[in-house]
Amino acid sequence: MSTVPTDVKTVQPADFKSDVHNDWCPGCGDFGVISAVQMALAKLQVPPHRVAVISGIGCAGKSAHYMNAYSFHTLHGRVMPSVTAMKLANHDLTVIGVGGDGDAYGIGGGHFVAGGRRNLNITYVVMNNDVYALTKGQASPTIAKGQKTKSMSEASIMDAINPILLALACGYTFVARGYALDTKYLSEIIAQAIEHRGSALVDVLQTCPTYNDLHTKGFYAGQIEGQPRLYRLDQTGYDPIVHNPDDPVEIAQKKAQALLKSQEPGGRIPLGVYYKLDVPTYEDHLKAKIPGLQEKPLAELDLYHRDITPNLQELM
Amino acid sequence: MSTVPTDVKTVQPADFKSDVHNDWCPGCGDFGVISAVQMALAKLQVPPHRVAVISGIGCAGKSAHYMNAYSFHTLHGRVMPSVTAMKLANHDLTVIGVGGDGDAYGIGGGHFVAGGRRNLNITYVVMNNDVYALTKGQASPTIAKGQKTKSMSEASIMDAINPILLALACGYTFVARGYALDTKYLSEIIAQAIEHRGSALVDVLQTCPTYNDLHTKGFYAGQIEGQPRLYRLDQTGYDPIVHNPDDPVEIAQKKAQALLKSQEPGGRIPLGVYYKLDVPTYEDHLKAKIPGLQEKPLAELDLYHRDITPNLQELM
Amino acid sequence: MIGGPQGSGLNVSAEILAKALSRSGYYVFGQIEYHSNIKGKHSAYKLRISGEHVSSHLDAVHLLSSLDEETLIGDLYHEFPAHRGHVHEIAAGGALLYDVEQKKFIELIDRKDIFLWEMPYAELLDRALTEAGKPGQARAYRIMTNTLALGASVGALGFDFEPVALAIRDSFGAKAGKVADLNVNAARYAYDYAKERFAGQLKFGLPAAPPKREQILVKGSQAVGMAKIKAGCGLQTYYPISPATDESVYLEGYQSDHNLVVLQTEDEVSAIDAAVMGAHGGVRASTSTSGPGFALMPEGLGFAAITEAPGPVLVLYQRGGPSTGLPTRQEQGDLLFALNAGQGDIPRIVMASGDIEECFYDTFDAFNYADRYQVPVILLVDKHMASCYQTLPPFKTSHLKIDRGLVKPANTNGDYQRYAFSKEGVSPRSVPGQAGGIFWSTSDEHDPRGHITEGIGNRLAMMEKRMGKVALAAREIPDGKKYIYLGPAAPQKIPVLAICWGSTKGAVHDALHHADPHHAKYAMLHIRLMSPFPAEAVKNILSRAERVVCFDGNYSGQLARLIRTETGVSVHHSVVKYDGRPFSEDEIMVALGAAKAGAPERLAISEGRVIEPGHGNVEFDKMLELRETNPKMLAPMVPLPPGYNR
Amino acid sequence: MIGGPQGSGLNVSAEILAKALSRSGYYVFGQIEYHSNIKGKHSAYKLRISGEHVSSHLDAVHLLSSLDEETLIGDLYHEFPAHRGHVHEIAAGGALLYDVEQKKFIELIDRKDIFLWEMPYAELLDRALTEAGKPGQARAYRIMTNTLALGASVGALGFDFEPVALAIRDSFGAKAGKVADLNVNAARYAYDYAKERFAGQLKFGLPAAPPKREQILVKGSQAVGMAKIKAGCGLQTYYPISPATDESVYLEGYQSDHNLVVLQTEDEVSAIDAAVMGAHGGVRASTSTSGPGFALMPEGLGFAAITEAPGPVLVLYQRGGPSTGLPTRQEQGDLLFALNAGQGDIPRIVMASGDIEECFYDTFDAFNYADRYQVPVILLVDKHMASCYQTLPPFKTSHLKIDRGLVKPANTNGDYQRYAFSKEGVSPRSVPGQAGGIFWSTSDEHDPRGHITEGIGNRLAMMEKRMGKVALAAREIPDGKKYIYLGPAAPQKIPVLAICWGSTKGAVHDALHHADPHHAKYAMLHIRLMSPFPAEAVKNILSRAERVVCFDGNYSGQLARLIRTETGVSVHHSVVKYDGRPFSEDEIMVALGAAKAGAPERLAISEGRVIEPGHGNVEFDKMLELRETNPKMLAPMVPLPPGYNR
Ligand SMILES: Cc1ncc(C[n+]2csc(CCOP(=O)(O)OP(=O)(O)O)c2C)c(N)n1
Ligand SMILES: Cc1ncc(C[n+]2csc(CCOP(=O)(O)OP(=O)(O)O)c2C)c(N)n1
Ligand code: SF4
Ligand code: SF4
Ligand SMILES: [Mg+2]
Ligand SMILES: [Mg+2]
C-alpha cells in the first residue's frame, strides 16, 4: 500500500487537524467522531496528503473543514457519488466519506444503496443523531416511530431506518457501529474500516445536545435491566467475519446474525463490527479490465497521447 | 372498505384491460405480470374506477397504459413518491405501483427506502428482468456480479441488489416474490399484497426475451439437483407472518428467516410471501392526528371554507 | 440593532420588542442577518420603528445593542475575517449599548460622535436571580443577557416597560410562570438602569405612537402559510431547507385544525413529484423549497406540465447561490432558473411577490391559476421577505374566491378524454375514484386519451394546447396582478423609472415615498408576474421613461435581462447587489443618485455604496489588516442555557 | 428511404448500404426516425446519396422500400393514428418497392406518378434458404426480409452488388460464415430480380461516383466519443438514456484499449457528481445525458461551478420534451435550460455543435476550456446529430493540443490556497495525493483557502472571480469557435441572413449552398458558443442584415430569444419546428421563401410546409378520417429471428 508515510516523522492525530474555527455547538458529539477519524488515520500512519475526506451538507457535513487532508464539503446526500469518483480517480488514496444520517439514509438513500453494490475500497462514517440538525432538528430517517425530540413539531409516524440492516442489504462488506463519545473505541472501529478492503459503513451514534433530547449522553450511558445499554460485540465472542467468502450459505448466515444483533430485544445496543466479508473490490475488477490501472492510479496515467487511428479505421 | 363494488355486476379481469395497442415485444414476461394484476383486482372485486395504477418509465412503466383504471405513467424512478401522494389524496383508493427493477432499485432507490418506512397501504409490483430494457438492455441493479446478458457490453462488476432483503431493511411490511410466467400464482400473491394493510412489495421475476438471455423461461423452468428451481414457500410450511407485531424479537427473527430464504444456497428461488407484519399504517396515524380524515379521504373533504381568523389573531 | 452570537436568543428578544411596539401602535420592520450555523456565529437583528408604514430597513443604525465582542470589532478570530462589527454603522448621534465585560474592546472604538452606554448586565442579572432565590448563578444564566439587553434598549429609548413585560410573558406561552417572571424581572432591572441614565439623550427618539389599530406582526413565511390554508391546500410536501422550512413548520402546526396533510419527504425530487400527484389526486397541493431544493425539481416541473396537473404551487424561497452558497442570506438569483427550468418548452406561471402582503394574496391566487390553467405555478419569494417581520393590517379574506377550474361534467357518456382538445384551451379534469372518469396520463407525448403517441399532427396540437394555456393566462390575469406602476400617467414622460421585483419593492417603495411621494421625479414599476410576462405593458411604460434603472438582487441583472428578452428594450442602468444582503432604503437612493449622475450601465451596490470592480478584494484585504492590527480575540462561545442537555 | 417495424433490422440494412456507397466514393447522409419502443412500432431510415458533400436530408423521397403495411398506409390500428405512411413523400417519378404480400394495400394507393415495383421476397428468400439447405423455412426467417429489401434497392438503383456484399459480410463481424453467406445470397437474389426489372427507369439515378478517397462514415455520438478519447478523458459517467447512451456504450468498448473508466451510475444526480469529483480528483471527466437526465443535474452543475472544478464536460443530447416527451425524436429545446440551470449566478461555458465534425472538435476543446477556466462545460448536441450517419474525411488530430490549465507549482512553501485571488483570474489547482497541495473545497461560499465564510468583501470578490472566468473565456476563445458566418463581408449589406444552431446548420448550409452558393442573396450565421455569447460580433452582423431569419428546433424560438437577450435585437422571423423532426434542406428554403414573401414574425414549419396555428388539429382529424375510411389493419408484429430466445 502506498499509504505508508515516506518520511521518518510519524503521523499524529493532530496532523489531521485543520486550523479553521470549529462552529459546532459546545458538547456536540461530532467532536468525538472527527477526533476518532483523526486517531484512526494516525494509527494507520497515513500521511494527510494521501487522504481525501468527502462530506455532505449538515452539521456533520462541516467535518471536511476540520480535517487536514484533501477535503471536500460537497452536497447534501451526495457523499457516495463523490467518494466513488475520487477513489476511481486515484485508487491509492485513502478515501473517507463523512456525513449526517439525513444525508446518508435520507436524501442520499439511493446512492447509499448503489454504493454498497460497488464495494469500492472506501470508508463511510455516518454521524447519526436522529435529526436534521443544521436545518433545526426535524426528524431524520433514523428516528423511531412515536419518538419526538424537543425540536420536532410532532412525533414521527414513520419507521426508523436500521442502518446496519440497510447496509447489509445493500452489500457493504464491512458494517459497524460506534458511539461518538467513546472516541477511543470508535477510532479502533474506524481504523478497521479503513483497513478493510471494500466498502465499509460505520454508523456512529452521535449526541446532538441542541436538538435531540432523547438520545443524550445520559441515555447512552444508561442501563437496561442492570446491563449497560451500550456494549462491545467483540467482548461477547461474536464473530462478524465471513470465513469462506465463496460460501453463500455462510454469507447469508452472517448477515442474519448481524440482523438479529442490530434489532436486539430490550433496546441494548451493540457496538463494534457486525459483519465483514473479504471479496475483490471494484478497483480489483477494474484493474483486471483496464491494464493501465495495474501500474498507476488513473489520475497519474498519461492519457493525453492516445492514438485514435484504429477508431477512425473502424469507421471506414 | 369502500373497495367493494356498488353495482351487481361482478368485476372481471377483462374489465381492467384498456383498449390501447400493447407494444411490448412478443413473449415479454410483462404480459404475465399485468394479467396477474388484473386477475388479482378482479378477485378482490375492486371496481376499476376505485383503482389508481402508477408506473415508472421503462418497458414495465408502460403498464399503466394497458390497465383500465386511473393510470399514471410517471417518471423514471418516481413511482413511490407518486404512489404516496395518490394514497394521501384519497386513502380509499386501491393504489398500485408498477415499474421496472432499474426504476425501483436503481434510480428510485432512495424513494424505495423511504417508501418502506412510511407503511402506507399500497402495493408495489416490480417487474424484475435484470436489465434496463427500454434503453436497450444495460445492466440493472439486480444483475449479479460476473453476469453478462447478450445486451451488456461487459459483465457486471457490482453486486446485485437482493430486493427481498432490501425491502425488509426498508420496513416494507409485506414482502413477496412472484414469477411472471406463473400468472395464476402471481395473481394470488398480488391479491394478498393488495389485501395487506401496509406497504407491500412484490418482486416479480420477469423474462425479457429480447435482452436477457440468462434468465429465460428455460432458466426458470430448470432444475437444481433434481429439484425445480422455482418453488412455493407456502408448500413448505414456511410461516412468513409475524404473529405478535409488538414483539421486536419475533420481528427480527422473521426478518432473519426471510433473509435466509432470499439467499438460498444452490440457487433455488422460493416464490410467495417471505414476510408479513400487521401494524398500523401511515394513514392510521394520520387519521389519529387529522380529524377530517376519519370521515372522508382528503380529496373529498371541503377544504375551501377555512377560517383563518385564529391564525391572524395569533400574530396580533 | 442587536448583535450577538447565534443561539443566544437575540432574535427572540428583538421580536419581543417588535411585538410590544406593534401592539402599542407603531409600525415596525425587522430584518435579521444570520449564519448557516446553529450556535456561536454572529447574528444581527435590525428593527426599524416608525410612525408610518415601512417595508424596508435602513443602513444607518441609531441604537446598537451589543451582546458580544464580535458586534464591536468583528470576527477577527478567523484567518480571513468576515466582518468588522457594526459600530461603523451607527449614525452620528446614535448610541452603543454594551456590556461592561466588553470594555477592553470599547477602547478600540474610535467614535467620538456616538454615545457609549455601558451596562453591568451580570450584576443586574444577579440581582434578579437573587430575588428569584438563585443568588450567585449569573454565569450559569448568562443566556439571559439578551433579555437584559432588551430591557436596556427599551429603557434607553424611553419606551414603556409594560407592553414589553407582556410580550416577554407571551413569548413563554403556556409554560409562563417562574421562568417568565425571572425574565421580566431581569429585563426590568436593565430597563430601569438604562432609562435612568440614558433616556432622552438620543436625537432620534421614538416617534409619537400612531393611534392603536388592529395589526399583525408577520413574516413572509407565515403569510404564505396562512394563504395556503385559506386557499384550501390539502397537501404540503417539503424537505427541510433554509429559509423555506419555516413555512412548512408553520403549516405542520395546523394539520389538525385545518385538515391539512404536511408530508416531509426524503428529498426534493420526491417533494415535487408527490405534490404533482397530490394535485392529480384531487387535492390542492404545494411544496416549498429554496435554490438547492429547486435544483432537484426541474424533472417534476416538466412532469406536472406535460400531464397538465392542476398544480402544484411551488414556493421558491431564494437565497444566496450558487450551489449551497449562502444558505441564510439574501439573493434574488433564481429568476431565470425558475423561468427556464426543465427540458423542452414548458408551460408555467411564475409569480414574484414584492412584500408580505403580496405573499399572502399571490399564494392564494397561485392555487386558482394552477387549477384554472392546469399548469405548475412557481411563486418566487426570497430569504429577506421570508424572514423579515413586519406590521400589517390583518389580511382581508372575504373577497377571496376559489376557482377550481374546469372539471369533468358528471355525464360524459363513458367517453371521457382527459386531454381532449377544447375550445377553452383547457381540458376538464377528472378526479380518481369517480365512476366514468377513468383516464390515462403520461410524461411522454400523448393523444387526447392520454396514451403515448409520436404522431406529428397530435404533437403540434398538444404543444399548442399546453403553451396556449399560458397565453390564456396572460389574457385573463388582471394588470394589477402583473405589475404595479406608481408614477405619472400616460402619455406623460417619466424622468426616472425604478424597476424592481421581489422584496426590493419594499426598499424602492419606501425610498420613493420619502424622496418623492408624488412621483414627480421617480416612478416605480414593480413586476409581479414573470411568466406570462406583461411585455406590452412594460414596453409602453419603458417607452415613456427617460432613464430606466432596474434593481436586481443578483450578479447578472436577471430582471434586466428578462426585460430585454421580452421587450427588446435595454434598461439604462442595471443595479445589482450580490453580497448576500437585501437592498436597504438608503441604497435605492444611492443608486438612483449615481444613475442620474451618469454611472455606467452596470452598477453594483454594497453596504450603502456604489462599488467598483475589485472593491471586494479591497475590503477583503482591509479585513486582513484589521486582524493584524487588533488584539487576538477568541471565538464567541454561546453560554449554555440552564438545564442544557449534554 | 426504408420503412418498417422496429426490431426488423432495417437500420442495419440502411447502414450497410451507406457503408457500401461510402467506400465507393459517394457522399452519404443517413437519418433515422424511430419510436421509443423495442419491437414493432414504425421506423423509417432515409439515405441521401450524393456526388458532393451533404449534411442534411430532403423531404422528397425518390425510392421508398417498404417492409410493412404501415409504411404504405400508416398506423391505422390505433384509436388515434400517428401517421399515414410514406407514400405521399415519394416525389413524382420516384418509385415504391414493396413486397407482394402487401398487395392489397397497394390498391389503396392513388399515385399514378410513381413506379410501383413489386418484389416476391418470400419466394426469393426461399430460394436462398433452399440453397443453404433450409428449404421451406421462409416464414421462420422472415426477419431476413430487410436484407432482401436492401438487395432490391441496390438492384433498382443499378449500383454494383459487390461492395454491398462486402458490407453485409462486415456487418456480421468476426462471426461471419454461413449466416453471412445466406444473407449475401438472399440479397443477391433480390438484387438480380430488381436490377433486371427496374434498373434505369428512375429519372433520379445515382450520380456519378466521386473519386474514391479515405472517408469515414460516422454518427455524432461516435464523433463525441472519439474526441473524448483523444482529449484524454479518464472518467466517463452515465446513466442510460436515449439518445445519449450510444456514446457511453461506444466508450465502454474502449476502456481497456485506452485506459478509460466508464462508470454506469444509479442515476444522473450521481453521474454528474461523480464527474465533478473525478475532475477534482485529477482526471478529465465527463458525462453525457439528455433532457430528463439533465433535469437532475442542475445541482451538480452548481457544485462544479462553486468549487471551481476543472470540469466536467457535460454532453447534452437534446430530444423531444417536455418531460419524457418524445424520447427518440429531435428537438432543440434545452438551450435556455442549459444556460440557466442551477440556482444563483453560475459561471459556465455552453457550446453547441452544428455538425458531426464540430462535435468532434468541440468536444476536444471542451476539455481544454474546463481545465483552463475551471468551469463546467456543457456541449449541446441533439438527437438528429447524434444518430445521423454521415460521410466525412477522417478527423485530423495532429494540430490538437491539450491544455490542462494552471496547476499548483511544486513549491508553494506550505501555504497553498486553492481559491487564491490571482491576476490570471484562475487559481492554480492541486491534485489530491500531492504533498503540499492539501486544500479544502465546499459548495458553500468560501474564502481563498476553501473554508466557509459569509463575509461581504470575500463574497463580492469570489463572485467576480467566478463570473470573471467566463469573461476571460470570451476574450480568449477565437471567433471561429464562437460562430460561423458565410456571407458578404462587412460593410456590405446582407439581403437575408439565416441564423441557425445545432444540427440545423446542416440543412441551412446545404440549402444555401444549393440555392445561392456565393451568398449573394442569403448569408448564414451559425452560432457555436452560447455562453459566453459573442454578443458584439452577432450584433454587428445583424446590423448589416436587411432580413434576419432565425431557425430554432423548438416551440418558443429559444435562440431568437437569446439573441434578443444578448443583443437587444429582435430577428424579423423566428422559424420554429417542434414536431419532433429535424429541419430538412427543403424546409429551410420554404421558410426563407415565406419570410421574403412577408410571413409573420413567428413562422412554424412542419412536413415541408409553413403551418398555421391549428394545423396540428386539422392533421389530427384527417388521420381519424383516414382510419374510418380504410380497411382495418393489424398492428405489425416483428418476425422473430431464428433462435430467438423465449
Ligand atoms: C438538496 C438540499 N436539500 C436540503 C438542504 C438543506 N439541509 C442542509 S443540512 C440538512 C440536514 C442535515 O441533516 P443530517 O444529514 O442528519 O446532518 P446533521 O446536520 O444532523 O449533522 C438539510 C436538509 C440542502 N442543503 N440541500
Ligand atoms: C431521469 C431519467 N433517466 C433515464 C431515463 C431513460 N430510461 C428510460 S427507461 C430506462 C430503464 C428502464 O429500466 P427498468 O426500470 O428496469 O424497466 P424495464 O425497461 O427493464 O422494464 C431508462 C434508464 C429516463 N427516462 N429518465
Ligand atoms: S445542532 Fe447538534 S449536531 Fe449540530 S453542531 Fe449543534 S449539537 Fe452538533
Ligand atoms: S425489451 Fe424485454 S422487457 Fe421490454 S418489452 Fe421487450 S421483452 Fe419486454
Ligand atoms: Mg443528523
Ligand atoms: Mg428492467
Side-chain angles (χ1 to χ4, degrees), chain D residues 535-594:
Chain D
E536 277 315 302
V538 169
K539 206 168 172 168
N540 285 341
I541 296 171
L542 289 179
S543 71
R544 291 195 283 127
E546 274 152 12
R547 190 180 292 274
V548 180
V549 185
C550 181
F551 290 87
D552 260 300
N554 53 60
Y555 182 92
S556 56
Q558 299 194 6
L559 178 60
R561 280 175 75 84
L562 179 62
I563 289 173
R564 191 150 63 179
T565 309
E566 295 284 352
T567 67
V569 180
S570 298
V571 303
H572 300 98
H573 301 279
S574 166
V575 181
V576 295
K577 189 161 204 278
Y578 49 94
D579 61 2
R581 276 66 176 176
F583 280 104
S584 68
E585 175 178 334
D586 313 309
E587 287 175 329
I588 302 301
M589 290 318 299
V590 167
L592 290 175

Side-chain angles (χ1 to χ4, degrees), chain C residues 4-137:
Chain C
Q6 283 169 207
S8 67
L10 66 89
N11 48 336
V12 179
S13 301
E15 294 184 357
I16 286 173
L17 176 54
K19 185 136 267 180
L21 290 162
S22 164
R23 287 175 177 168
S24 306
Y26 284 103
Y27 294 90
V28 175
F29 186 85
Q31 183 236 341
I32 184 162
E33 286 298 338
Y34 61 104
H35 277 82
S36 176
N37 151 270
I38 299 302
K39 280 188 199 294
K41 299 214 75 168
H42 185 68
S43 176
Y45 204 115
K46 264 188 188 175
L47 268 192
R48 181 173 182 183
I49 307 162
S50 173
E52 53 173 11
H53 182 77
V54 277
S55 319
S56 63
H57 62 286
L58 295 170
D59 287 327
V61 172
H62 299 138
L63 174 61
L64 172 64
S65 165
S66 162
L67 292 183
D68 64 357
E69 290 97 48
E70 193 166 329
T71 306
L72 302 176
I73 60 161
D75 57 346
L76 306 183
Y77 54 91
H78 285 303
E79 180 184 8
F80 302 111
H83 72 117
R84 53 200 166 106
H86 301 283
V87 175
H88 66 283
E89 297 172 33
I90 304 175
L96 169 64
L97 262 176
Y98 65 92
D99 190 348
V100 59
E101 290 178 14
Q102 299 165 4
K103 197 160 197 144
K104 72 167 178 211
F105 292 98
I106 293 295
E107 286 155 15
L108 300 170
I109 289 173
D110 186 27
R111 289 287 305 260
K112 300 277 167 293
D113 57 340
I114 60 172
F115 296 101
L116 296 175
W117 292 338
E118 191 168 285
M119 293 291 302
Y121 288 133
E123 197 188 309
L124 298 169
L125 174 57
D126 201 38
R127 250 186 261 169
L129 284 167
T130 308
E131 249 181 51
K134 307 182 173 197
Q137 297 185 30

Side-chain angles (χ1 to χ4, degrees), chain C residues 34-37 41 75 78-83 269 291-299 302-306 319-331 333-334 336-338 340-347 415 417 421 443-445 447-449 451-461 463-464 466-468 554-558 561-562 564-570 578-581 605-607 611-617 619-620 623, chain D residues 34-37 41 75 78-83 269 291-299 302-306 319-331 333-334 336-338 340-347 415 417 421 443-445 447-449 451-461 463-464 466-468 554-558 561-562 564-570 578-581 605-607 611-617 619-620 623:
Chain C
Y34 61 104
H35 277 82
S36 176
N37 151 270
K41 299 214 75 168
D75 57 346
H78 285 303
E79 180 184 8
F80 302 111
H83 72 117
V269 174
F294 186 67
L296 295 167
M297 293 186 172
E299 178 186 81
F303 175 52
I306 201 165
R319 68 184 214 186
S323 199
T324 313
L326 293 168
T328 60
R329 306 287 177 178
Q330 166 69 0
E331 193 165 276
D334 304 347
L336 293 179
F337 183 27
N340 294 292
Q343 69 275 20
D345 285 301
I346 294 183
D415 194 35
Q417 298 182 351
F421 299 115
S443 61
D444 282 272
E445 190 57 277
D447 62 30
R449 215 173 270 290
H451 289 308
I452 302 174
T453 176
E454 307 187 9
I456 289 181
N458 179 83
R459 165 69 174 179
L460 294 171
M463 281 297 287
E464 279 161 34
R466 285 191 296 266
M467 301 303 283
N554 54 60
Y555 182 92
S556 56
Q558 298 192 8
R561 281 175 73 84
L562 179 63
R564 192 151 62 180
T565 309
E566 294 285 351
T567 67
V569 180
S570 299
Y578 50 94
D579 60 2
R581 277 66 177 178
I605 295 280
S606 181
E607 297 186 286
I611 59 168
E612 302 295 314
H615 168 85
N617 293 89
E619 287 291 306
F620 179 84
M623 224 67 90
Chain D
Y34 61 104
H35 277 79
S36 177
N37 151 271
K41 300 211 77 169
D75 58 345
H78 285 302
E79 182 184 6
F80 302 111
H83 73 116
V269 174
F294 186 67
L296 295 168
M297 293 187 171
E299 178 187 79
F303 175 52
I306 201 166
R319 66 185 215 187
S323 200
T324 313
L326 293 168
T328 60
R329 306 287 177 177
Q330 167 69 359
E331 193 166 276
D334 304 347
L336 294 178
F337 183 28
N340 294 292
Q343 69 274 22
D345 285 302
I346 294 184
D415 194 35
Q417 296 181 353
F421 299 115
S443 62
D444 282 272
E445 189 58 278
D447 63 29
R449 217 173 270 292
H451 288 309
I452 302 174
T453 177
E454 306 187 10
I456 290 180
N458 179 82
R459 165 68 174 179
L460 294 172
M463 281 297 286
E464 279 162 33
R466 285 191 296 266
M467 300 304 282
N554 53 60
Y555 182 92
S556 56
Q558 299 194 6
R561 280 175 75 84
L562 179 62
R564 191 150 63 179
T565 309
E566 295 284 352
T567 67
V569 180
S570 298
Y578 49 94
D579 61 2
R581 276 66 176 176
I605 295 280
S606 180
E607 298 187 283
I611 59 167
E612 301 296 315
H615 168 85
N617 294 89
E619 287 292 305
F620 179 84
M623 225 67 90

Side-chain angles (χ1 to χ4, degrees), chain A residues 88-101:
Chain A
L88 292 178
N90 192 332
H91 59 242
D92 279 351
L93 297 183
T94 297
V95 180
I96 301 181
V98 186
D101 46 344

Side-chain angles (χ1 to χ4, degrees), chain D residues 183-198:
Chain D
N183 275 272
V184 170
N185 258 357
R188 192 190 312 270
Y189 276 114
Y191 176 85
D192 291 341
Y193 185 95
K195 183 157 187 190
E196 194 179 314
R197 288 165 183 78
F198 317 133

